[in-house]
Amino acid sequence: MSKVDKAILDKQLERLRGDKTLLQAFVDVLSMDPSEEADINRFVLKTVMDKYDEIMNCAENDIPFMAAYFANCPEIFTAMDVPWWIFLQTPFLGVSSPFLASDTDETEKMGLATDFCTVLRLAMFYVEKNLTPKPAGLIALLHPCDGTVVIHQAIGKTKAWHDVPVFGADSPYWDDERTYKYYGEETKRMVDFVTQCTGKKLDIDRLREVCKISNQTYQLWADYNDLRKAVPCPHDWTIGPPQCFALACYYYPGKIEAVDWFKKLVANAEKRVKAGTGMAAGERIRALWFDILPIMWQFDISPWLEQEWGVNIVMNMFGYTPYEPIDTKNETTMFRGLAKRSLSQVPMIRQARGVADNFLGDIERIVKDYKIDCVIWPGHMGHKDGNASIGMMREKCRELGVPFLSIGLDLFDKRYTAIDEVKDRISKFFQASGLGQKK
Amino acid sequence: METKTKSRVLQEFQEASKTLMNPALKKEKDKGAKIIGYFCSYGPAEIITAAGMIPFRIRAIGSTGTDLSDAYLSNINCSFCRNALNMGLAGEYDFLDGLIVLNNCDHVRRIYDNWRRKIKTPLVQMVSLPKKISDPSIQWYYDEMKIVKKAIEDKFNVKITDDKLREAIKLHNETRRLQRKLYDLRKKDNPPITGADTLAVMVAATALPLKQYNQMLKELIDDLSKSEGVGKAKARLLVIGGVLDDPEYIKVIESTGGLVVTDVLCYGTKNFRAEIDEKMKDPIAALAKYYIADRPSCPRMFGDQLRRAQLVKDLVKEFKVDGVIGQRIVFCDLWAGEIYMLNDDLKEAGIPFLKLDREYIMAGAGQVRTRVQAFIESMGR
């Protein structure tokens, strides 16, 4: 590799290496904790680091890898043995906080409207400024929001990625058999695209094995979610829904590592439920945080919620999805099952893509099943569809007899609504809705 | 600059663009005609016409606030949707017998959810519009068109035959041909009609009974063909962007001495650039092909940006345009991305480009005027 190439590559890997350093610090801290829960979390962090290593290795050694999403039927990538990653992982995880704010400021100079979702602006910034490794192909996400549709068109026009082939599977608006058939066919076209980009082919028998493992994973996830219904909830904010999502849908889709991890998680939760010991100290308010929850917000909000108010976020949008197993009988049933999972079941996509019924239905089921005391909609500035659902959410919560709070913030830029203001709004909400006083 | 023709029909078009319920529509409604609203220019107006009903594109013109809709939508939702839903909640859309909503953007698609829960329009139907242009997506939209057709037939006990559909397609195509003639007049060095008046004419097409509209438009074109021009413009402008149905906005742009001679708007060029194939055996197949593949696309259609940018560049040549204005309603992600991409395309082509963010309800006219003035000056005009 030439010196110039190495310089470009170093730049492309700069953020990944930075993230890894930070993650290593978290792992080191957790290593001092001998508990089972710390061990469970350590595995997740190491998994994230492994993903960085895998992609960096591909970039350094010219191994084709794909940029894709958790809603692109990732079991297929496992079956094809294709390395892939979500290139907006860096802002999504929020682990890169030392440069996240300055990167966000830089996005403003690109000329993309500042009311455009910050995480997508950051993704565009990383591509345009060559701060992310270049994939062999990009699989765009055409749902659940407008931002994803346009940002992938824009990325395809950048100098850095103008020669990266792009494919987007067209996603209908419904949740019915016609939709799954159509999307299943689109997914088959995606497989052809991945083959063109990487030279790897899909073996249907291998896909069947992967789907079977994936089904086991999702069954264990469902078992775990059932355990979280217990009062007190076995786990606190440090462990649970985000990790389940990350392992099942992204890092180990259809891989035995996910099954093994979930088994440990379930066993740990089961033990706690039997003993009646929740991790959250003095769980008094059981909350549903109905949106995504990046790591950096968790550190700012979740410990404060627990310590000051006795709040345990028992469930969030990314942890809850009523899955059904993929029928592995034949190719048609598998693609149908993968399509259904990708459109109607995967978190955030499930709630945000189609009509508001899933959105509201999930709130109702979670509130009832998890004995929820209040629903918090953070109102991320990029989630325009969700923010157009606040009236419906409020009415649904009123019908269920639980208080509802809509905040209005940017989950990727803490300056949009300052943390103190968020805390103030939450505090006033708890006081006004009779959920008690500060501890 | 102003349109010199003082024709009666132009005034009627202007009136129709300023109100929801215009006199012609009211007359038809009083006679028992059914009116079906639709939220987007991808909406299948031809099917509504074929059902013997009047298609009416939803606007929020005349809205005085969002007090009612603020309970349902947030302040980061598009002001067009907030105002339109407010009007619906206030009963100003009670004259509708039905409403067709498409998942054309994140804001509008939630209007469907809110509308069907809160507003008692007899038929509220959602259409799943594909996001790609391909044979399978045309087939998908074909099926969606059939679903809409059946929903209208079942709800109102009417039969929409293929013959009626063909007749409706002919009628709508006639509108498209007339509108193209109107735009052709604007190619002149001294066009006989302003951009503001043209927009009024185009908006009226979505609010008047179409046969009547076509007759009126023929009259107007005759008048304008004989009329003198609006005067020497400092610069010939092209406007692109999201939903723009208020001629006052164009009037503010033109108050600077610039003249809007064409556009890429969903009330404008996009509606007539292509026609529906009248020779196809299956009229619904012709509709699906037109809406998905033939018609200039909206930024929500993935993978078609190059063609969209090319259309802008083609129009710049055809209409001898000096500069392009890209307007966007704040919080519209689709147009945020499109304008971002187009910026590079136009820079590369050496075409001056001004980006304006706005609210649906005309506000900040002074600021718009100042920015357009500066833009025209920057072009050395």
Side-chain angles (χ1 to χ4, degrees):
Chain A
M1 188 174 287
S2 70
K3 274 187 181 174
V4 177
D5 288 343
K6 171 129 185 20
I8 291 171
L9 188 62
D10 279 344
K11 195 179 170 199
Q12 288 177 346
L13 301 183
E14 186 184 306
R15 291 288 185 275
L16 281 69
R17 288 175 180 145
D19 283 358
K20 254 198 85 181
T21 308
L22 271 161
L23 286 164
Q24 186 59 54
F26 285 123
V27 172
D28 292 345
V29 170
L30 283 173
S31 297
M32 290 186 273
D33 182 346
S35 69
E36 266 184 33
E37 290 83 6
D39 185 51
I40 289 167
N41 265 335
R42 229 177 4 250
F43 181 83
V44 177
L45 289 174
K46 281 186 174 166
T47 298
V48 180
M49 291 166 72
D50 287 347
K51 177 60 83 177
Y52 280 125
D53 283 337
E54 182 190 24
I55 297 305
M56 287 194 286
N57 179 52
C58 288
E60 284 163 346
N61 296 296
D62 238 1
I63 299 166
F65 67 96
M66 301 296 293
Y69 293 91
F70 59 90
N72 292 134
C73 307
E75 285 83 356
I76 286 172
F77 306 133
T78 301
M80 293 177 85
D81 195 24
V82 167
W84 70 283
W85 83 311
I86 300 174
F87 71 98
L88 45 77
Q89 167 170 310
T90 289
F92 206 82
L93 282 172
V95 291
S96 55
S97 67
F99 34 70
L100 203 59
S102 56
D103 286 351
T104 305
D105 290 343
E106 288 295 314
T107 67
E108 292 182 18
K109 294 180 191 161
M110 295 190 307
L112 194 52
T114 52
D115 52 54
F116 195 88
C117 179
T118 305
V119 73
L120 295 176
R121 267 189 292 142
L122 282 163
M124 182 72 199
F125 170 74
Y126 292 138
V127 171
E128 197 159 72
K129 300 294 174 193
N130 237 329
L131 286 166
T132 189
K134 192 166 156 178
L138 167 63
I139 298 175
L141 201 54
L142 305 195
H143 56 276
C145 66
D146 295 338
T148 60
V149 175
V150 289
I151 206 70
H152 292 104
Q153 295 186 76
I155 283 170
K157 290 192 70 166
T158 56
K159 259 187 195 163
W161 282 23
H162 74 278
D163 53 350
V164 174
V166 186
F167 176 87
D170 188 24
S171 46
Y173 202 60
W174 305 120
D175 296 274
D176 59 12
E177 287 308 318
R178 181 172 148 247
T179 294
Y180 304 139
K181 190 178 172 200
Y182 179 86
Y183 197 71
E185 291 302 316
E186 284 288 281
T187 304
K188 286 180 186 169
R189 288 177 201 107
M190 182 191 83
V191 171
D192 293 341
F193 173 76
V194 175
T195 298
Q196 282 165 23
C197 295
T198 64
K200 302 241 175 132
K201 290 192 174 147
L202 179 66
D203 179 283
I204 292 301
D205 289 332
R206 171 79 182 124
L207 181 63
R208 181 173 293 112
E209 292 313 308
V210 168
C211 287
K212 281 179 183 169
I213 295 172
S214 183
N215 286 343
Q216 278 183 58
T217 307
Y218 284 116
Q219 183 54 58
L220 285 161
W221 189 354
D223 293 347
Y224 174 68
N225 278 351
D226 279 345
L227 290 163
R228 284 187 76 92
K229 292 173 185 167
V231 181
C233 179
H235 292 142
D236 64 3
W237 66 274
T238 60
I239 187 166
Q243 290 91 337
C244 294
F245 161 76
L247 265 75
C249 302
Y250 179 22
Y251 295 110
Y252 290 128
K255 291 186 180 177
I256 204 69
E257 290 90 335
V259 174
D260 293 342
W261 180 83
F262 268 99
K263 279 180 182 166
K264 280 186 191 167
L265 180 75
V266 169
N268 180 274
E270 218 162 36
K271 203 158 53 180
R272 283 188 167 278
V273 171
K274 277 179 190 161
T277 52
M279 272 177 85
E283 176 181 294
R284 211 174 56 189
I285 302 170
R286 293 166 65 86
L288 163 61
W289 180 278
F290 204 55
D291 205 332
I292 53 176
L293 194 55
I295 284 174
M296 293 317 287
W297 269 97
Q298 281 205 342
F299 287 131
D300 285 308
I301 296 288
S302 304
W304 172 81
L305 280 171
E306 186 178 317
Q307 285 151 22
E308 298 278 326
W309 289 96
V311 172
N312 194 4
I313 296 174
V314 174
M315 189 47 71
N316 70 30
M317 186 187 274
F318 263 64
Y320 179 81
T321 306
Y323 290 100
E324 68 180 61
I326 292 167
D327 182 351
T328 57
K329 194 162 55 196
N330 55 44
E331 184 178 344
T332 305
T333 61
M334 280 191 281
F335 274 90
R336 182 257 177 212
L338 288 164
K340 182 170 187 181
R341 187 173 278 177
S342 288
L343 291 180
S344 305
Q345 297 175 344
V346 161
M348 190 176 78
I349 307 298
R350 161 184 172 73
Q351 294 91 354
R353 176 189 57 92
V355 292
D357 298 31
N358 279 345
F359 212 96
L360 302 172
D362 281 4
I363 290 178
E364 181 164 354
R365 271 188 294 274
I366 295 169
V367 165
K368 285 179 178 167
D369 292 350
Y370 291 80
K371 302 168 197 72
I372 295 293
D373 298 307
C374 66
V375 176
I376 298 174
W377 164 253
H380 172 54
M381 50 74 82
H383 292 169
K384 309 291 192 325
D385 69 292
N387 282 297
S389 308
I390 53 166
M392 292 183 284
M393 284 191 270
R394 189 179 296 113
E395 287 183 354
K396 175 54 74 182
C397 287
R398 198 174 292 150
E399 184 188 312
L400 295 165
V402 291
F404 169 77
L405 172 68
S406 167
I407 302 174
L409 45 76
D410 184 341
L411 288 167
F412 304 95
D413 188 351
K414 292 176 208 163
R415 298 164 299 180
Y416 186 94
T417 307
I419 296 287
D420 285 346
E421 197 185 327
V422 172
K423 287 179 179 174
D424 186 52
R425 292 200 59 187
I426 292 174
S427 297
K428 284 177 178 153
F429 164 69
F430 286 150
Q431 284 161 354
S433 50
L435 286 167
Q437 299 295 315
K438 278 187 184 179
K439 272 181 169 178
Chain B
M1 278 175 302
E2 61 176 34
T3 308
K4 299 289 189 292
T5 298
K6 299 293 169 209
S7 87
R8 176 189 54 82
V9 288
L10 181 58
Q11 282 173 29
E12 284 181 38
F13 286 142
Q14 287 165 337
E15 284 307 313
S17 73
K18 282 180 194 161
T19 54
L20 294 186
M21 180 58 89
N22 59 69
L25 194 64
K26 185 169 186 319
K27 197 173 155 191
E28 291 301 314
K29 182 75 186 171
D30 290 344
K31 282 197 293 189
K34 298 235 179 303
I35 302 171
I36 308 284
Y38 61 101
F39 247 102
C40 164
S41 57
Y42 277 96
E46 290 79 4
I47 293 179
I48 300 169
T49 301
M53 300 170 190
I54 300 173
F56 182 93
R57 186 160 172 196
I58 302 296
R59 287 174 288 133
I61 206 78
S63 171
T64 52
T66 56
D67 291 352
L68 297 170
S69 61
D70 284 349
Y72 300 97
L73 308 178
S74 85
N75 59 5
I76 66 159
N77 288 120
C78 133
S79 50
F80 162 61
C81 289
R82 293 166 67 199
N83 281 283
L85 182 65
N86 200 80
M87 291 181 102
L89 291 165
E92 292 184 54
Y93 269 115
D94 285 355
F95 64 87
L96 292 181
D97 297 284
L99 176 69
I100 295 169
V101 189
L102 290 86
N103 59 324
N104 50 316
C105 77
D106 288 340
H107 309 266
V108 166
R109 66 191 176 96
R110 285 285 172 257
I111 293 290
Y112 165 76
D113 297 295
N114 282 292
W115 197 291
R116 78 183 166 117
R117 282 171 171 80
K118 289 289 150 192
I119 302 168
K120 301 293 167 212
T121 306
L123 172 72
V124 183
Q125 182 74 26
M126 184 79 185
V127 176
S128 168
L129 177 65
K131 290 180 178 166
K132 264 169 59 173
I133 298 167
S134 65
D135 288 342
S137 72
I138 293 171
Q139 180 60 43
W140 174 271
Y141 206 55
Y142 173 83
D143 294 338
E144 287 290 306
M145 296 289 95
K146 284 203 152 180
I147 292 168
V148 172
K149 174 177 166 281
K150 186 169 185 318
I152 293 173
E153 286 177 331
D154 290 351
K155 185 74 195 176
F156 301 106
N157 199 22
V158 292
K159 186 78 195 147
I160 304 173
T161 62
D162 280 359
D163 283 343
K164 284 178 183 172
L165 277 166
R166 282 190 202 99
E167 206 180 303
I169 287 170
K170 270 187 190 161
L171 181 66
H172 283 262
N173 271 347
E174 189 191 355
T175 306
R176 292 184 177 99
R177 282 191 283 271
L178 288 167
Q179 291 176 335
R180 200 176 305 125
K181 269 190 186 173
L182 175 71
Y183 271 57
D184 281 346
L185 294 173
R186 303 168 79 197
K187 290 178 179 170
K188 290 181 176 178
D189 288 339
N190 188 0
I193 185 167
T194 63
D197 285 337
T198 307
L199 183 58
V201 174
M202 298 303 288
V203 168
T206 67
L208 287 167
L210 210 55
K211 272 186 189 164
Q212 190 177 337
Y213 173 85
N214 285 354
Q215 193 51 48
M216 289 164 70
L217 185 51
K218 272 181 211 159
E219 264 185 57
L220 179 67
I221 291 167
D222 282 348
D223 285 351
L224 290 171
S225 303
K226 296 171 219 150
S227 165
E228 60 177 303
V230 296
K232 178 77 181 152
K234 279 187 192 168
R236 294 168 69 88
L237 303 169
L238 180 155
V239 174
I240 63 153
V243 60
L244 174 59
D245 57 27
D246 186 358
E248 285 303 310
Y249 187 79
I250 302 289
K251 204 175 258 183
V252 171
I253 291 174
E254 294 184 325
S255 70
T256 61
L259 182 69
V260 175
V261 291
T262 190
D263 61 70
V264 182
L265 296 171
C266 55
Y267 273 99
T269 300
K270 284 187 186 180
N271 281 316
F272 61 76
R273 190 75 177 170
E275 284 179 28
I276 303 172
D277 188 344
E278 293 175 16
K279 289 185 185 132
M280 273 177 83
K281 197 175 167 194
D282 182 343
I284 294 185
L287 282 176
K289 182 176 170 295
Y290 166 77
Y291 278 108
I292 300 302
D294 298 341
R295 176 185 190 278
S297 69
C298 166
R300 74 181 293 291
M301 298 304 268
F302 180 79
D304 201 35
Q305 193 272 338
L306 286 179
R307 192 170 68 132
R308 290 193 294 267
Q310 191 56 53
L311 174 61
V312 176
K313 288 187 264 187
D314 289 347
L315 290 173
V316 164
K317 278 186 193 156
E318 283 176 34
F319 287 82
K320 300 186 282 291
V321 167
D322 298 306
V324 175
I325 295 177
Q327 55 79 32
R328 175 189 82 114
I329 294 182
V330 181
F331 304 119
C332 174
D333 290 339
L334 293 171
W335 277 100
E338 187 74 2
I339 285 174
Y340 175 75
M341 287 183 272
L342 194 61
N343 189 51
D344 288 344
D345 294 318
L346 296 185
K347 196 183 279 179
E348 203 178 289
I351 300 166
F353 186 35
L354 172 68
K355 293 171 268 181
L356 295 174
D357 276 357
R358 68 181 181 94
E359 293 292 343
Y360 175 78
I361 298 295
M362 185 67 205
Q367 197 186 15
V368 173
R369 199 174 291 122
T370 305
R371 293 202 57 199
V372 175
Q373 264 166 356
F375 178 58
I376 292 173
E377 281 168 22
S378 74
M379 292 189 285
R381 304 273 163 168

